[in-house]
């Protein structure tokens, strides 16, 4: 259902949350939530890096060719590594640390590209107004929580993007931040002191040039008119002197209470309240942020939030925010509003955070991403990945289906905390392009809410010593993908795009692949001795890895081949109750198209087993 406003809302920016006029906002009808988020295929992008609406030779929303625009389609034969001399390489590299020109209008123009890929939900990086004097293109340096960064567009552009997505069956998840603002003030005597536990004095709020010329505390615009819109922090209620912790930058990211109270480098930690849930009372700052984010839900009809840095917020503030947002969204008819939190660290931390705070799911779980990426390349034992979803004393749950909709899974992302300073997309290392379809298929067809990071479907291969190298400009510009310039990657004829779309379509039409129970299957080369594949020593595991998804008495059998050089054959165990001897399973998908439609006969081996042949570095589905 597309939202139909009863009253046109003027694109005015409020300076305080008290200025918000809720009457026209709440007089609208809102797009309903999905029945189940695990049914969705999420696509994550950064607005600055996705599209600037100036590409040519791509397909528009309706599938028509677009011939206008300055950026031509990327051609790997001529455009890859085409920067020329070292000076050209330096110019390209420098461009990656700045805004490169992606916009909300550009994103809107590519809704068709995403829909045809099989995407049903877009996770959009932060769109809020950033500090004026820094190049925080990533969106996490917010200066005004009630306005859109002008380099991305306007409030109306956001609304148009969301409405367009909804009309094409795509939900929108907005990336938000409660833990910190941008670099909105300067400490007295030291621009960026380290955390010691003490509270530092503040020289003043920063003006649009980054100078602390504005007194710290609630700003009087009559005396300091230059403060709005580019100085201090907004909405104005956040300007109170107690609004920030003022403890300096974190040095030990796991030390309590430093990781809760400290700044993220020069991003200033907001005082959102104590960690403890017992007797928790929200600070004024947390209450203001709750109102601001309720505003964006109502104004733009957002379907979910990805909450940044949940580990650094503490359970008390997170639980309060989750309660406020869930109550508000339920009241306007969004009964299954998604709150997914970034919880860096292991699975146990994520489980405890989700259960304690009432958020709906977690992402950024390093052991999930690491094992997903490295299983497909043969560097992890299959059990290491599949056991993440099994019954566990850590999880304190009797069924592994708890993980079905509580974990967002992905192979690539925008910061790769788990890799330290050595950032690298999946396709940058270890035969990544050979495996990428199988990797995305493994992601799509195992438990969790699957997410594709922009560009994975086009084999983007960025790598380097900072985040910018895995945040290429998909539309080209000065920091184009594959070390190119002014060449876009919205190409729907590449093999990876086509195959990912096929797998996503099968998932969309197969309940078992979205909601089914999951079982890692034993295999055999001779049909007699069965076992789960195991990696030995430092060598790459070369084997068929197979699993079943079972729902309502339907079994769907999937398998990948970690050997990128040769076909692999294996007897694969299936459910002995659901599959009768001599029954036939049909191949409904293979990365080797000639196999589709082929049959695998079930025999009485190891209970029941079927003989599969899996292409090199490939993937198959039988049902």
């Amino acid at each position: 259902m597309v939202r139909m406003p009863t009253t046109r809302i003027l694109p005015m920016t409020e300076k305080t949350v008290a200025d918000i006029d809720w009457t026209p906002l709440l007089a609208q009808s809102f797009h309903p939530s999905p029945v189940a988020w695990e049914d969705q295929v999420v696509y994550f992008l950064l607005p600055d890096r996705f599209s600037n609406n100036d590409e040519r030779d791509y397909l528009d929303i309706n599938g028509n060719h677009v011939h206008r625009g300055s950026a031509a389609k990327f051609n790997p034969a001529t455009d890859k590594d085409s920067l020329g001399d070292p000076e050209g390489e330096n110019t390209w590299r420098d461009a990656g640390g700045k805004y490169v020109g992606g916009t909300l209008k550009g994103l809107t123009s590519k809704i068709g590209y995403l829909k045809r890929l099989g995407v049903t939900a877009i996770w959009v990086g932060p769109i809020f107004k950033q500090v004026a004097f820094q190049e925080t293109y990533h969106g996490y340096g917010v200066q005004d929580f009630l306005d859109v960064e002008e380099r991305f567009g306007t409030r109306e552009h956001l609304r148009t993007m969301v409405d367009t997505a909804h009309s094409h069956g795509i939900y929108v998840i907005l990336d938000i931040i409660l833990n910190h603002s941008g670099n909105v003030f300067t400490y007295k005597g030291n621009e960026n002191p380290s955390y010691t536990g003490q509270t530092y004095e503040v020289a003043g709020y920063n003006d649009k040039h980054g100078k602390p010329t504005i007194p710290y505390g609630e700003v009087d615009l009559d005396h300091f008119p230059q403060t709005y819109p580019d100085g201090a922090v907004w909405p104005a209620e956040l300007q109170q002197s107690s609004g920030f912790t003022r403890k300096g930058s974190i040095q030990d990211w796991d030390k309590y209470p430093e990781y809760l109270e400290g700044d993220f480098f020069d991003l200033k930690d907001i005082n959102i309240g104590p960690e403890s849930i017992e007797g928790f009372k929200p600070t004024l700052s947390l209450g203001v942020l709750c109102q601001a984010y309720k505003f964006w839900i109502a104004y733009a009809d957002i379907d979910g939030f990805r909450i940044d840095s949940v580990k650094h917020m503490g359970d008390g503030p997170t639980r309060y925010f989750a309660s406020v947002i869930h109550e508000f969204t339920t009241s306007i008819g969004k009964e299954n509003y998604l709150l997914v939190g970034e919880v860096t660290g292991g699975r146990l931390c994520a489980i405890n955070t989700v259960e304690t705070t009432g958020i709906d799911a977690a992402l950024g779980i390093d052991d999930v991403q690491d094992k997903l990426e490295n299983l497909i390349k043969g560097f992890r034992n299959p059990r290491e990945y599949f056991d993440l979803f099994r019954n566990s004393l850590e999880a304190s749950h009797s069924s592994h289906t708890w993980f079905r909709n509580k974990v967002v899974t992905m192979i690539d992302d925008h910061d790769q905390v788990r890799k330290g300073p050595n950032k690298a997309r999946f396709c940058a290392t270890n035969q990544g392009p050979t495996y990428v379809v199988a990797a995305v298929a493994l992601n799509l067809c195992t438990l969790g809410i699957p997410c594709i990071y922009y560009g994975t479907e086009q084999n983007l291969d960025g790598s380097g010593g900072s985040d910018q190298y895995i945040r290429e400009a998909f539309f080209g510009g000065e920091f184009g993908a594959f070390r190119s310039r002014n060449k876009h990657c919205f190409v729907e004829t590449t093999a990876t795009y086509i195959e990912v779309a096929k797998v996503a379509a099968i998932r969309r039409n197969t309940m078992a692949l979205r909601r089914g129970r999951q079982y890692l299957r034993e295999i055999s080369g001779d049909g007699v001795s069965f076992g789960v594949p195991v990696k030995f020593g430092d060598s790459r595991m070369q084997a068929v890895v197979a699993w079943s998804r079972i729902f309502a008495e339907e079994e769907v059998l999937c398998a990948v081949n970690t050997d990128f050089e040769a076909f692999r054959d294996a007897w694969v165990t299936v459910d002995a109750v659901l599959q009768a001897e001599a029954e036939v399973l049909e191949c409904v998908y293979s990365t080797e198209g000639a196999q589709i439609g082929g049959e695998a006969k079930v025999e009485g081996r190891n209970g029941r087993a079927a003989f599969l042949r899996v292409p090199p570095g490939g993937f198959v589905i039988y049902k």
Side-chain angles (χ1 to χ4, degrees):
M1 179 178 68
V2 178
R3 176 181 52 141
M4 300 297 293
T6 56
T7 304
R8 185 65 173 171
I9 302 169
L10 296 177
M12 177 200 77
T13 302
E14 295 79 3
K15 295 184 180 69
T16 72
V17 293
D19 292 336
I20 297 172
D21 185 355
W22 291 100
T23 302
L25 287 171
L26 299 180
Q28 306 170 94
S29 59
F30 293 94
H31 194 69
S33 302
V35 172
W37 280 100
E38 65 269 30
D39 288 349
Q40 311 310 314
V41 174
V42 182
Y43 188 94
F44 172 38
L45 60 91
L46 297 174
D48 181 62
R49 300 297 158 109
F50 190 62
S51 172
N52 68 350
N53 197 33
D54 192 27
E55 307 90 352
R56 69 173 183 268
D57 195 17
Y58 72 94
L59 302 180
D60 67 10
I61 288 178
N62 298 314
N64 300 315
H65 279 274
V66 175
H67 300 292
R68 59 161 178 76
S70 62
K73 185 190 304 183
F74 178 82
N75 181 343
T78 57
D79 298 328
K80 187 173 183 179
D81 297 311
S82 59
L83 298 173
D85 56 24
E87 182 178 351
E89 293 176 0
N90 289 335
T91 300
W92 175 86
R93 189 177 300 109
D94 290 344
K98 304 173 183 177
Y99 288 94
V100 295
T103 64
L104 291 166
K105 288 180 69 175
L107 170 54
T108 304
S109 72
K110 304 305 182 299
I111 294 296
Y113 170 89
L114 298 174
K115 181 177 182 179
R116 290 185 289 273
L117 180 62
V119 170
T120 61
I122 310 169
W123 158 18
V124 182
I127 50 82
F128 311 106
K129 186 177 184 301
Q130 303 291 291
V131 291
F133 59 93
Q134 290 181 319
E135 296 279 348
T136 54
Y137 67 87
H138 44 69
Y140 295 98
V142 182
Q143 184 252 343
D144 189 342
F145 290 86
L146 285 178
D147 202 4
V148 170
E149 169 54 45
E150 63 180 359
R151 280 168 281 205
F152 300 156
T154 67
R155 285 181 173 184
E156 284 296 299
H157 292 151
L158 176 64
R159 281 162 54 99
T160 298
M161 184 274 290
V162 175
D163 286 346
T164 304
H166 286 167
S167 68
H168 287 81
I170 296 176
Y171 300 98
V172 178
I173 301 163
L174 197 59
D175 205 323
I176 67 166
I177 308 99
L178 292 101
N179 180 69
H180 54 263
S181 72
N183 185 11
V184 297
F185 65 77
T186 297
Y187 287 105
K188 186 172 292 187
N190 187 342
E191 288 191 358
N192 195 27
S194 298
Y195 181 93
T196 62
Q198 73 179 91
T199 300
Y200 292 96
E201 289 188 64
V202 174
Y205 279 120
N206 294 327
D207 59 25
K208 66 179 181 180
H209 303 295
K211 303 300 181 182
T213 61
I214 304 165
Y216 185 70
E218 189 172 349
V219 178
D220 183 346
L221 287 178
D222 291 334
H223 289 87
F224 297 93
Q226 76 277 17
T227 301
Y228 189 82
D230 294 324
V233 63
W234 302 89
E237 292 95 337
L238 293 176
Q239 296 166 4
Q240 51 169 321
S241 59
S242 62
F244 294 85
T245 56
R246 295 162 286 146
K247 295 290 185 78
S249 62
I250 298 171
Q251 305 302 302
D252 187 336
W253 294 86
D254 295 309
K255 185 177 180 180
Y256 176 88
E258 181 173 351
Y259 72 85
L260 292 171
E261 298 178 340
D263 299 336
F264 266 49
F265 306 103
D266 64 0
L267 304 178
K268 300 305 191 288
D269 188 75
I270 299 175
N271 179 16
I272 55 176
E275 178 190 30
S276 176
I277 287 175
E278 292 298 324
F280 179 82
K281 294 182 179 179
T283 62
L284 176 58
S285 292
L286 180 57
V288 169
L289 291 172
C290 287
Q291 292 296 101
Y293 289 126
K294 284 165 59 178
F295 165 79
W296 288 112
I297 296 170
Y299 178 85
D301 204 5
I302 302 298
D303 302 295
F305 285 151
R306 179 266 190 187
I307 310 171
D308 187 59
S309 308
V310 164
K311 168 186 172 180
H312 301 275
M313 290 171 54
D315 288 347
T318 305
R319 185 174 180 177
Y320 180 84
F321 180 78
S323 176
V324 168
I325 296 302
H326 278 144
E327 288 183 11
F328 176 72
T329 53
T330 298
S331 74
I332 62 173
K334 290 179 177 286
E335 297 280 355
N336 193 19
Y337 195 86
L338 181 68
L339 294 178
V340 54
E342 180 198 25
V343 186
T344 53
R347 180 177 58 147
L348 178 57
C349 177
I351 291 168
N352 289 339
T353 299
V354 171
E355 292 289 273
T356 302
T357 64
I359 62 174
D360 301 295
L363 57 73
I365 308 171
D366 52 16
D367 50 4
V368 172
Q369 286 185 261
D370 173 77
K371 291 173 176 61
L372 177 57
E373 175 179 355
N374 286 295
L375 162 60
I376 200 69
K377 293 181 177 179
F379 296 120
R380 291 286 186 275
N381 285 311
R383 280 200 184 278
E384 293 182 48
Y385 175 68
F386 284 89
D387 279 0
L388 293 173
F389 302 96
R390 286 175 56 83
N391 301 347
S392 168
L393 292 176
E394 288 183 353
S396 300
H397 283 270
S398 59
S399 172
H400 60 262
T401 57
W402 181 84
F403 294 98
R404 185 187 68 223
N405 60 356
K406 300 295 186 185
V407 178
V408 175
T409 57
M410 56 200 304
I411 55 174
D412 277 330
D413 66 68
H414 65 313
D415 52 20
Q416 297 185 347
V417 173
R418 63 192 170 90
K419 293 186 178 181
N422 301 310
K423 314 297 184 181
R425 282 181 177 261
F426 181 89
C427 284
T429 62
N430 298 308
Q431 300 294 323
T434 303
Y435 288 116
V436 67
V437 172
V440 175
L442 176 66
N443 192 180
L444 292 176
C445 297
T446 52
L447 283 167
I449 302 171
C451 181
I452 300 170
Y453 182 47
Y454 83 97
T456 302
E457 78 282 4
Q458 298 290 351
N459 295 13
L460 264 60
D461 64 352
S463 66
S466 69
D467 295 338
Q468 72 178 58
Y469 294 102
I470 53 174
R471 299 172 179 177
E472 307 95 309
F474 205 51
F475 60 88
E478 289 298 305
F479 190 63
F482 303 106
R483 296 149 303 281
S484 67
R485 283 195 187 90
N486 300 318
K487 305 293 182 181
H488 74 82
C489 294
F490 295 101
V491 186
E492 299 184 29
T493 55
T494 60
T496 301
Y497 181 96
I498 291 169
E499 297 306 312
V500 168
K502 290 177 182 177
V503 175
I506 293 171
R507 183 185 191 273
R508 184 168 58 250
N509 295 316
T510 308
M511 182 74 80
L513 290 178
R514 306 193 313 270
R515 304 193 198 180
R517 305 185 308 278
Q518 178 172 286
Y519 301 94
L520 177 63
R521 291 306 191 188
E522 293 184 341
I523 65 168
S524 173
D526 60 10
V528 177
S529 300
F530 282 79
V532 172
V534 176
K535 177 182 177 295
F536 293 100
D538 295 329
S539 61
R540 183 198 297 260
M541 182 188 71
Q542 297 178 319
V544 170
V545 178
W547 66 97
S548 292
R549 299 292 304 272
I550 297 176
F551 187 85
E553 300 186 353
E554 178 188 27
E555 179 175 19
V556 179
L557 184 63
C558 303
V560 296
N561 177 6
T562 67
D563 184 347
F564 65 88
E565 295 181 310
F567 278 85
R568 287 272 169 169
D569 303 330
W571 289 95
V572 177
T573 304
V574 294
D575 192 281
V577 175
L578 297 178
Q579 309 296 349
E581 193 167 349
E583 192 163 337
V584 172
L585 301 178
E586 180 185 355
C587 179
V588 297
Y589 176 78
S590 173
T591 46
E592 178 61 51
Q595 289 188 305
I596 298 173
E599 297 179 342
K601 189 176 180 180
V602 177
E603 298 188 12
R605 301 169 185 267
N606 199 36
R608 297 286 187 273
F611 187 76
L612 303 187
R613 183 171 174 81
V614 187
F619 173 71
V620 297
I621 303 175
Y622 282 79
K623 57 187 292 191

